[in-house]
Amino acid sequence: MNKDQLFAFAQHLTPQKTLSRLIGRVAECENKWVKNTFISQFVKKYQVDMSEAINSDATSYRNFNDFFTRAIRPELRPICNKENSIACPADGAVSQLGKIEHGTLFQAKGHHYSLTTLLGGDASLSNQFLGGSFATVYLSPKDYHRVHMPLTGKLTKMIHIPGKLFSVNKVTAEQIPNVFARNERTVCLFDTEAGPMAVILVGAMIVASIETVWAGQVTPFNKNVVTWDYKELNDIKIKKGEEMGRFKLGSTAIVLFGKDAINWEESIQADTPTKMGMHFGKINK
């Protein structure tokens, strides 16, 4: 067993949720010694560039979670304004992107996973994206951890799907099958000028919670699949480039579009570094 296989195997033995919730409590601690130690060590270990933050004083944040979800200087992340352009939703790196073929998404070498399972088992939802396009963006610990809208959209539905909390880094994606469709996640569905769009916030090991701007903290409250229908009740419209959600520690954002709706930027492929707001693709018109 090599080190990558050992790392993946160890995750099966780790009490994922207990550990993640415990770390979550520490991340909310406001004791100056605790939070400053935690933040300072994190900045040093992951070489976090605090000059990009609106508040660059790392130890002035109320707690670790406030630091981790820090706002970034907007002039450093201009939103692409090319005609029919799609904006990248997050800082990080592309894990994979391409076409949704035979109802599956490509995870890593040798691994695909089910679109229907990813969306919580609702075939009527997955049918909207059959033959469409997907992009998976991995946010590393040092990255800006707010997720923004690729296109302007009206919120129609949100689904919380409980699950595992495996790591979602490259090593895990290559070693553990169906990791994105097994982990806890929040599916957000929008109507856009390109048709239906899904932005899926995938939890991971040590992720204390997932939040959206319209509902606040979504996880880890529920043990069952829960759906919120916004189509008739509210008129929640979020503009391209505006924040739609955030992670308190960790994770991955997956974007889905329907068949023939868009094309990803040709220069972007697996492992391409990303910045929120950069040109990510184009609507087919």
Side-chain angles (χ1 to χ4, degrees):
M1 184 179 291
N2 63 35
K3 66 177 182 179
D4 291 349
Q5 292 170 327
L6 184 62
F7 174 70
F9 178 73
Q11 292 185 56
H12 289 278
L13 303 179
T14 302
Q16 299 172 346
K17 293 191 176 181
T18 300
L19 178 61
S20 296
R21 303 317 178 220
L22 178 62
I23 295 297
R25 290 183 181 180
V26 174
E28 288 289 337
C29 178
E30 297 182 20
N31 176 279
K32 286 187 177 181
W33 184 86
V34 173
K35 61 103 174 174
N36 289 350
T37 299
F38 201 4
I39 291 170
S40 297
Q41 290 298 316
F42 189 92
V43 170
K44 182 179 179 180
K45 180 177 181 179
Y46 293 106
Q47 298 182 325
V48 178
D49 184 1
M50 290 304 298
S51 69
E52 292 193 330
I54 290 176
N55 175 9
S56 61
D57 182 358
T59 58
S60 70
Y61 288 89
R62 183 171 58 91
N63 55 35
F64 181 85
N65 275 337
D66 276 3
F67 152 76
F68 193 79
T69 58
R70 60 195 175 276
I72 208 161
R73 290 160 52 198
E75 68 270 19
L76 299 179
R77 297 293 185 276
I79 308 303
C80 62
N81 57 9
K82 295 180 181 178
E83 185 178 2
N84 300 325
S85 63
I86 298 165
C88 180
D91 282 18
V94 171
S95 176
Q96 297 292 340
L97 83 170
K99 295 294 184 183
I100 301 168
E101 298 178 334
H102 310 296
T104 66
L105 290 76
F106 182 54
Q107 176 176 302
K109 186 177 181 180
H111 298 302
H112 289 74
Y113 59 100
S114 164
L115 171 64
T116 301
T117 304
L118 178 69
L119 296 177
D122 188 336
S124 65
L125 290 182
S126 62
N127 286 343
Q128 300 177 62
F129 301 103
L130 290 175
S133 302
F134 80 96
T136 305
V137 178
Y138 168 67
L139 292 74
S140 74
K142 69 178 181 179
D143 290 320
Y144 169 62
H145 274 78
R146 300 188 186 191
V147 179
H148 294 242
M149 290 289 283
L151 287 176
T152 297
K154 181 179 178 181
L155 180 67
T156 59
K157 194 182 293 287
M158 180 173 72
I159 308 165
H160 166 65
I161 305 161
K164 299 291 186 180
L165 289 173
F166 291 111
S167 170
V168 289
N169 62 20
K170 184 177 181 179
V171 171
T172 306
E174 291 175 347
Q175 296 294 327
I176 298 180
N178 308 312
V179 65
F180 300 122
R182 294 169 71 178
N183 273 17
E184 185 172 31
R185 56 203 179 278
T186 299
V187 177
C188 307
L189 294 147
F190 300 89
D191 280 338
T192 76
E193 61 179 309
M197 176 184 75
V199 181
I200 303 159
L201 308 178
V202 183
M205 188 82 75
I206 315 298
V207 174
S209 70
I210 295 171
E211 297 182 0
T212 64
V213 296
W214 58 86
Q217 184 167 318
V218 180
T219 64
F221 292 141
N222 304 303
K223 295 182 179 180
N224 301 306
V225 174
V226 180
T227 300
W228 293 263
D229 194 335
Y230 292 92
K231 200 163 189 177
E232 303 297 334
L233 298 177
N234 292 295
D235 187 16
I236 299 175
K237 189 174 184 179
I238 309 177
K239 294 180 180 179
K240 173 182 169 182
E242 289 184 342
E243 180 188 348
M244 56 78 59
R246 62 181 68 175
F247 295 107
K248 290 184 176 177
L249 287 174
S251 204
T252 289
I254 302 173
V255 181
L256 308 179
F257 287 100
K259 186 177 181 180
D260 300 326
I262 66 102
N263 283 310
W264 301 121
E265 167 60 42
E266 291 183 359
S267 64
I268 296 174
Q269 54 189 326
D271 298 324
T272 298
T274 64
K275 294 293 185 184
M276 188 280 291
M278 66 181 271
H279 183 256
F280 208 50
K282 190 173 182 180
I283 302 168
N284 288 329
K285 283 192 173 182

